[in-house]
Amino acid sequence: MTSPDAISLITVSYNSARALERFWAGHRFVPYQWTVVDNNSSDDSREVARRLGARVVALDSNQGFSAANNVGASVTDADVLIFCNPDVTVTPDGIATLADQVRRTGGIVAPQLVNADGSLQENGRGIPYLHRKVLHLLGWDDPGYVRLAKAAEVIDVAWVMGAALAVTREDFLRVGRWDPGYFLYYEDHDLGLRMRSAGLPVRINGDVRWTHGWRRETRRNLTVAAWRNEFRSAARFYRQHPYCLVPLPGRAADQVRRLGVV
C-alpha cells in the first residue's frame, strides 16, 4: 500500500465555504495531506478549510482552476496527487485505492462519481468531438460519449471530469501539468487527451464511488461569465486539439487512433 505521506489531496476553492462544510465536514481523510488553494474568495472559505484540517494557500487574485491546481501541486512533495473539488466527498479507502492503482498503471485514475441519491454521474467521456459536445449540452448524447463504470469495473476513457482524479507527480509533470490558459472548463478534456497522447491510460475505477454535488452554471444559471468562460475555453481546446472538431479520415483519424479510445 502507498504511504499516506506520499499522497496529497488538492482542492481549489472560490467562495466555496458552504460546499466545504457540506461535503468535507465530519468526513475522514486524515492521515492524508489536504491542501486548499483559495482563489481570493469573498466568503469565509479559507477559515472553513483551516477549521476542517486543510493547509490553506491564499491567492491574491482569482487565477482560475488550472493555475490554482498547479499551485497546490507545487507546495507538496507527495508523489501521488489527488485533485478533488470542494463539492466532492472523499473516502480514506478510496484515496488509498486510487493512489495504489495510479502508481501501478500510471496516467489518470478517477473514482466513479455519484449523485446524492447514489445514481452514477457522467464523469467519464469519449473523444469530445464538437458535435458530441453540442448534443450533450442539448441532452441528446451520442452513443458511447458518456462512460459509466459499474462496480468491480475499470474502464478506459478519453478524459474524466476534473472534479476528482489521481495522478502521479511524475506523469503530471511529464505532460506539462494543468494548462493555465484554461481559466475554467475544458482543462480536464485537455489534460486527459495529453495523457493519452503520451501513451498513458485514463481510467475510472467503479469500486471507488465519491459523491459529487456538480453545479454547472452554463446549464442551470446561464450566467454571462460562465458562458464566456465556456466559449473561450472551447475555442482554445479545439485550436489545440483540431482532430476533435469532426471525426474526419486522414491525419485526424490517425491522431484519434493513437489515443486508443473513441
Side-chain angles (χ1 to χ4, degrees), residues 29-48:
F29 56 89
V30 176
Y32 303 104
Q33 306 170 29
W34 181 32
T35 299
V36 171
V37 182
D38 185 70
N39 263 326
N40 197 31
S41 293
S42 58
D43 68 359
D44 58 346
S45 294
R46 300 176 185 181
E47 291 74 18
V48 170

Side-chain angles (χ1 to χ4, degrees), residues 3-229:
S3 166
D5 293 336
I7 303 170
S8 181
L9 309 177
I10 298 169
T11 298
V12 174
S13 63
Y14 178 68
N15 295 333
S16 305
R18 292 180 62 185
L20 289 168
E21 288 279 14
R22 176 181 174 188
F23 291 91
W24 290 80
H27 297 284
R28 292 182 57 247
F29 56 89
V30 176
Y32 303 104
Q33 306 170 29
W34 181 32
T35 299
V36 171
V37 182
D38 185 70
N39 263 326
N40 197 31
S41 293
S42 58
D43 68 359
D44 58 346
S45 294
R46 300 176 185 181
E47 291 74 18
V48 170
R50 289 191 184 98
R51 175 165 49 80
L52 295 176
R55 170 191 182 184
V56 175
V57 178
L59 302 181
D60 294 333
S61 62
N62 186 350
Q63 298 184 18
F65 182 73
S66 293
N69 266 329
N70 289 339
V71 170
S74 72
V75 299
T76 174
D77 58 1
D79 66 348
V80 174
L81 308 172
I82 299 182
F83 297 96
C84 40
N85 279 7
D87 59 352
V88 171
T89 296
V90 304
T91 60
D93 57 342
I95 293 169
T97 297
L98 294 179
D100 287 341
Q101 182 178 348
V102 81
R103 292 191 74 179
R104 290 195 311 271
T105 65
I108 288 173
V109 179
Q112 173 58 62
L113 297 179
V114 298
N115 298 304
D117 62 1
S119 58
L120 303 187
Q121 204 173 92
E122 49 189 56
N123 62 307
R125 308 290 171 83
I127 300 293
Y129 293 121
L130 183 58
H131 76 277
R132 282 177 160 178
K133 295 290 295 182
V134 173
L135 289 173
H136 185 69
L137 189 63
L138 296 174
W140 305 324
D141 280 326
D142 180 349
Y145 180 51
V146 173
R147 312 287 175 84
L148 303 172
K150 301 175 182 178
E153 192 175 45
V154 175
I155 62 172
D156 279 289
V157 296
W159 61 278
V160 296
M161 285 172 54
L165 62 88
V167 61
T168 64
R169 177 179 298 277
E170 179 181 0
D171 287 346
F172 180 65
L173 296 178
R174 174 180 172 184
V175 301
R177 309 188 303 168
W178 295 91
D179 182 348
Y182 294 96
F183 184 83
L184 189 64
Y185 307 137
Y186 285 84
E187 68 289 313
D188 43 13
H189 305 43
D190 171 68
L191 184 65
L193 293 186
R194 282 191 283 125
M195 282 285 176
R196 297 210 68 103
S197 293
L200 297 165
V202 179
R203 292 172 173 154
I204 295 180
N205 187 324
D207 278 340
V208 181
R209 300 195 172 190
W210 289 351
T211 301
H212 178 214
W214 200 19
R215 180 176 63 89
R216 271 302 296 261
E217 292 183 345
T218 49
R219 281 193 173 187
R220 299 186 181 184
N221 297 338
L222 302 178
T223 64
V224 172
W227 278 109
R228 185 184 300 117
N229 286 326

